[in-house]
Amino acid sequence: MVQPLRYLKESPSQTAGPYVHIGTNPNWVEITGVWKSDLGLVLVGPDTRGERVILEGCITDGSGAPVRDALVEIWQADAAGLHNSPQERRGRADPAFAGWARQPVDDRDGSFRFETIRPGPVPYPDGRMQAPHVSVWIVARGINIGLHTRLYFGDEAEANATDPLLNRIPEPERRATLVAPRSERDGLPVFRFDVRLQGENETVFLDI
Amino acid sequence: MSGSYFQRDRDWHPPGYTPTYKTSVLRSPRHALLSLPTTTSEETGPVFGHDVLGPLDNDLIRNWSQNGGEAIGQRIVVYGRVLDEEARPVRGALVEFWQANAGGRYRHRKESYLAALDPNFGGCGRAITDEDGRYSFRTIKPGAYPWPNRVNDWRPAHIHFSIFGHAFAQRLITQMYFEGDPMIWQCPIVRTIPDRAGIEQLVAALDRNATLPMDSLAYKFDIVLRGRRSTMFENRMEGN
């Protein structure tokens, strides 16, 4: 008889369901006055350091239809590549930048839009630098376990070309699904990140 | 001192494609997930201070009260701990929960079930775990409700949970079920979990020792988040 390894099992995931907003964005579904405000609505304030950027996109299912009841969370480093987290060991992040946000997608067209800053580079475990990226987590009715992916910036071609994660994608043509093309609107860079859950141009999702 | 998070056991979690739960058919990726070691981007995560909490955030019987009324239904206390896979408490974790009322009706503009809304029940709550990883809240036991999957599918009574650990890699949404409910074993969403023991991990136990006499029954629901490797002899570059 060997000695037992006394690890617990992680609690199994379950779908967030169609009414996830009751618990995450109650004010948005007119349950007002319980929370002061829904968490994660605003990322950038006047004191936040870094270049302002807009991230926007739409989530579609395997038939191309928008997923109108999804919830999207993003998590990213500050302009210097530091995370606003006690687990960050490399220095102190910009106190005027939380680094985390979430929002329900638009319940008519499945779109989302975050106003944030361009993150600085973050190292990979072997010491190489990763290209600037934003971690994205998506839950919805019909999604049994939250889907992790990453947004990379379309105007960072040089950094993207050597990014350890992008280079780990076995099919090179799928790397483009994580790279958001840049355009400009009202003087601000806009990065378009459409997420396709299934089928043609399916977004690369991560087991991290 | 610490490094990557333990590999997630995706045979223990539900897979993406579970056709008896019909919505999963078009919302599950067909490609394999891309595996990679966690980096600082995943080993860090947002932290929420107690200043985000209001005084009634963990009291669903009273936090949507109109004119001092209380929610109708079986009064219960739900309590437990948030632990990691090494059974260490996860301190300062934000736990959010939401549920239907005693009749199985959600307060959501997209919900149309004919059971009545309770004017004194909103259905949302949240708590932050203490030094031992403990959380608790007071609510009414939610009712079962029908949903448009197969023609006669009903969800068992359940409470949804969203948990933030210390890292984005630990982010988890799940559901809590109630001991003894026969509908647990008939539910296509519950049965997306492959292993019976995995399902049982989501069933809260009736705890008569924590019950408040002449007031509320109590259910215990512990939540386990991913553990983290210790890097005793692992070669890692400086600064990681």
Side-chain angles (χ1 to χ4, degrees):
Chain A
M1 193 67 179
V2 302
Q3 296 185 8
L5 294 172
R6 300 190 185 281
Y7 294 109
L8 303 178
K9 295 298 288 184
E10 189 185 8
S11 296
S13 174
Q14 291 269 263
T15 180
Y19 309 127
V20 57
H21 323 100
I22 294 174
T24 60
N25 297 78
N27 291 286
W28 189 71
V29 288
E30 288 115 37
I31 302 175
T32 52
V34 181
W35 294 182
K36 280 170 282 188
S37 66
D38 296 343
L39 287 178
L41 296 183
V42 180
L43 263 167
V44 172
D47 299 331
T48 306
R49 295 194 285 268
E51 180 196 1
R52 268 61 176 165
V53 298
I54 306 292
L55 314 178
E56 62 182 28
C58 179
I59 303 172
T60 48
D61 71 12
S63 74
V67 175
R68 298 187 183 87
D69 49 15
L71 180 77
V72 184
E73 295 190 2
I74 62 171
W75 172 244
Q76 65 166 94
D78 69 6
L82 296 171
H83 294 90
N84 195 336
S85 165
Q87 310 301 318
E88 175 61 82
R89 309 287 185 218
R90 295 168 300 137
R92 184 156 181 265
D94 180 357
F97 184 65
W100 174 82
R102 74 175 165 197
Q103 63 178 248
V105 298
D106 186 285
D107 58 6
R108 292 155 300 179
D109 62 13
S111 65
F112 60 87
R113 181 178 189 275
F114 292 98
E115 296 181 34
T116 183
I117 51 116
R118 185 191 299 266
V122 174
Y124 202 61
D126 62 8
R128 286 180 290 166
M129 273 299 165
Q130 304 182 84
H133 60 269
V134 173
S135 296
V136 179
W137 190 69
I138 298 164
V139 294
R141 175 173 68 104
I143 296 177
N144 290 325
I145 181 165
L147 293 169
H148 282 277
T149 186
R150 278 188 183 184
L151 178 155
Y152 286 85
F153 294 82
D155 60 359
E156 301 264 8
E158 198 176 327
N160 292 342
T162 57
D163 180 76
L165 184 149
L166 289 174
N167 280 293
R168 216 177 152 106
I169 298 173
E171 314 89 342
E173 68 280 7
R174 298 193 66 216
R175 291 172 192 161
T177 68
L178 302 190
V179 181
R182 175 190 168 127
S183 61
E184 278 189 30
R185 195 185 314 132
D186 304 327
L188 276 181
V190 177
F191 294 90
R192 176 83 195 179
F193 188 61
D194 287 322
V195 177
R196 297 171 185 89
L197 297 182
Q198 183 191 94
E200 198 177 345
N201 291 320
E202 183 175 300
T203 300
V204 173
F205 295 103
L206 310 175
D207 180 16
I208 44 140
Chain B
M1 180 58 206
S2 50
S4 284
Y5 276 80
F6 293 174
Q7 174 176 301
R8 201 162 233 174
D9 182 354
R10 289 183 181 266
D11 294 323
W12 183 252
H13 286 285
Y17 178 73
T18 49
T20 314
Y21 173 29
K22 293 183 181 182
T23 319
S24 75
V25 171
L26 285 174
R27 294 185 172 194
S28 45
R30 286 291 172 271
H31 285 272
L33 302 178
L34 178 71
S35 296
L36 69 154
T38 55
T39 75
T40 310
S41 301
E42 293 80 32
E43 292 163 10
T44 54
V47 169
F48 304 92
H50 287 267
D51 55 318
V52 309
L53 301 180
L56 293 177
D57 279 8
N58 69 343
D59 185 354
L60 281 70
I61 292 179
R62 288 170 58 215
N63 71 14
W64 180 253
S65 174
Q66 311 298 310
N67 306 315
E70 295 198 337
I72 291 171
Q74 183 179 63
R75 298 161 65 87
I76 60 172
V77 170
V78 178
Y79 80 94
R81 298 174 75 202
V82 179
L83 305 167
D84 69 14
E85 288 172 288
E86 294 182 276
R88 291 182 297 212
V90 182
R91 305 182 172 99
L94 176 68
V95 183
E96 301 167 311
F97 21 89
W98 65 99
Q99 62 168 93
N101 69 22
R105 174 74 187 265
Y106 282 97
R107 186 174 290 280
H108 191 287
R109 55 179 175 246
K110 294 251 170 126
E111 151 77 292
S112 57
Y113 179 37
L114 51 79
L117 284 168
D118 179 341
N120 293 310
F121 188 73
C124 59
R126 56 187 175 181
I128 292 177
T129 59
D130 71 8
E131 285 299 299
D132 296 317
R134 289 182 300 223
Y135 74 92
S136 64
F137 60 99
R138 185 166 83 140
T139 186
I140 51 91
K141 188 175 177 183
Y145 69 90
W147 58 299
N149 190 55
R150 297 174 300 193
V151 294
N152 191 24
D153 276 332
W154 291 68
R155 297 300 326 280
H158 64 277
I159 300 176
H160 296 264
F161 278 73
S162 163
I163 308 102
F164 292 84
H166 295 160
F168 210 52
Q170 292 179 308
R171 195 76 183 82
L172 183 72
I173 283 184
T174 188
Q175 301 183 29
M176 177 198 118
Y177 305 99
F178 291 85
E179 179 180 0
D181 184 346
M183 295 175 65
I184 293 169
W185 307 100
Q186 302 163 6
C187 175
I189 288 179
V190 173
R191 293 174 68 140
T192 61
I193 300 170
D195 194 315
R196 185 181 176 93
I199 294 173
E200 287 171 342
Q201 192 174 350
L202 299 184
V203 181
L206 175 68
D207 183 356
R208 293 285 295 268
N209 292 336
T211 287
L212 307 173
M214 304 301 288
D215 182 335
S216 301
L217 286 173
Y219 285 87
K220 188 202 79 159
F221 185 59
D222 287 343
I223 297 160
V224 180
L225 303 181
R226 290 167 71 182
R228 192 171 189 185
R229 303 166 69 92
S230 308
T231 51
M232 286 170 283
F233 295 100
E234 196 170 336
N235 289 318
R236 291 173 78 86
M237 301 291 283
E238 195 66 32
N240 285 285

